[in-house]
Amino acid sequence: MTQRQGSRSQIADGTGLTRGAVTALSKVLMDAGIVREVQPVAGGGMGRPITLLELAADDMALLVLQLDADRAIAVVASLAGDILFRFQEHHGRPMGDPEAVLTILAGVLDQALTAAAGAGRRIADATVVVFAPVAGKPAQVVADTDLGWGMVDVLGQLRKRVPALPETARLCSDVDVAAVAEYNRLREVRDMLYLKSNSGVGGSIVADGRLLEGTHGFAGAFGHIPVDHDGPECPCGQRGCLNMVAGPDVILTAAGLGKELDEEGLSRALAELVARIERGEEHATAAWGWAAVWIARTLHILTMSLDPEIVMLGGYWAALVAPVREAFEANRPYIARQPGYGPEIVAGQLGDDAALLGAIWAARDTLLGDPLALNIV
């Protein structure tokens, strides 16, 4: 038996539904062609075989595009969440030039659609993930300081280039899907603060088990909290934003990795930064130590405002949690130092693909939550 198969009894135990309800629902799903019975296996009571169910929608697939700091990525995944095809191209982050970047993203989209069609797969759901703030209806990239963009209709621009992009495709920010994916790995946690850094600094808030979006969709824009009012001016118009004192470009420059950033791209430069810090290299360690202080100061504001159980650091920060935790604990109110008080600062576990995996899993769960919407037959 695989993890993608289960008996009616196992499904009932896992979902909390009655066995009668599972039996009735499984008949509806089998009639719709969404699940099927597989050959019985041994293991039932009194030596009786167990009849298992598995997904039957073999020709359906999920499509996820991701536009991150350096790359345009397209993946095609099964409804079970397994990646079937992956394509990526380096775009080099030409600042302020969305046309050039979106043309590269359209190229990997076209490759993914071609591969899916060649494998006999129909796209059941499409998501475009961008490492940028997203807001509005319809959703658009807004005031992105990492790519140097203003407001950009990513979906509309992609559809002009690749008309086959499904009309139901949605646009979302990387931090939200990454935060939900990391949060769903936790047990018995209701409130989590998530901060990550790749092309910039962003984050999300999970309150009482739900993602907090805010009135305008900007909840979690932690990179633009002005923590140093005498600091450098940010492209957003404020002074001393966290992104200007602890953003990746700032740290890389201070660590002497500006040449690597220019020649090899942000992702490789950050990987080299982490490696140098782990080796104890002086300039890299000093640059991160100072950035960790600013991150901790930001967390002092956020944790006393939101009182989360967990603070999770993602992106490349996940490998560098200890200095942040040390700086954070050095300036805590007495009550928050008592046993049982104050959040635990932990590292994210899903790595560079946290947002990509989060988008796949979210699409999978949504479709399986309403499987009849697949219209298979």
Side-chain angles (χ1 to χ4, degrees), residues 294-307:
W294 286 114
I295 296 167
R297 291 176 181 177
T298 305
L299 291 178
H300 291 146
I301 297 169
L302 294 173
T303 56
M304 292 306 293
S305 301
L306 300 169
D307 193 22

Side-chain angles (χ1 to χ4, degrees), residues 235-318:
C236 79
Q238 300 182 123
R239 282 198 170 275
C241 289
L242 178 61
N243 209 26
M244 298 305 296
V245 293
D249 294 54
V250 174
I251 298 173
L252 288 170
T253 300
L257 286 164
K259 182 178 180 180
E260 286 79 357
L261 173 62
D262 293 336
E263 295 180 355
E264 300 182 25
L266 185 58
S267 299
R268 290 186 180 180
L270 290 174
E272 176 62 21
L273 173 69
V274 172
R276 292 188 183 187
I277 293 171
E278 291 175 343
R279 293 196 303 265
E281 196 276 331
E282 180 181 359
H283 293 296
T285 301
W288 177 245
W290 184 237
V293 170
W294 286 114
I295 296 167
R297 291 176 181 177
T298 305
L299 291 178
H300 291 146
I301 297 169
L302 294 173
T303 56
M304 292 306 293
S305 301
L306 300 169
D307 193 22
E309 298 171 66
I310 293 289
V311 171
M312 182 178 290
L313 302 184
Y316 84 94
W317 285 0

Side-chain angles (χ1 to χ4, degrees), residues 173-240:
S173 177
D174 66 300
V175 289
D176 291 341
V177 286
V180 172
E182 293 279 17
Y183 173 78
N184 287 338
R185 296 177 41 260
L186 304 176
R187 295 289 182 268
E188 299 181 358
V189 172
R190 300 299 297 170
D191 302 300
M192 182 185 82
L193 190 62
Y194 180 73
L195 286 83
K196 74 188 289 282
S197 182
N198 295 94
S199 58
V201 178
S204 290
I205 303 164
V206 178
D208 196 24
R210 302 185 65 179
L211 189 69
L212 181 63
E213 297 180 353
T215 301
H216 303 99
F218 295 148
F222 304 139
H224 294 290
I225 293 178
V227 291
D228 180 11
H229 290 185
D230 296 320
E233 185 175 354
C234 179
C236 79
Q238 300 182 123
R239 282 198 170 275

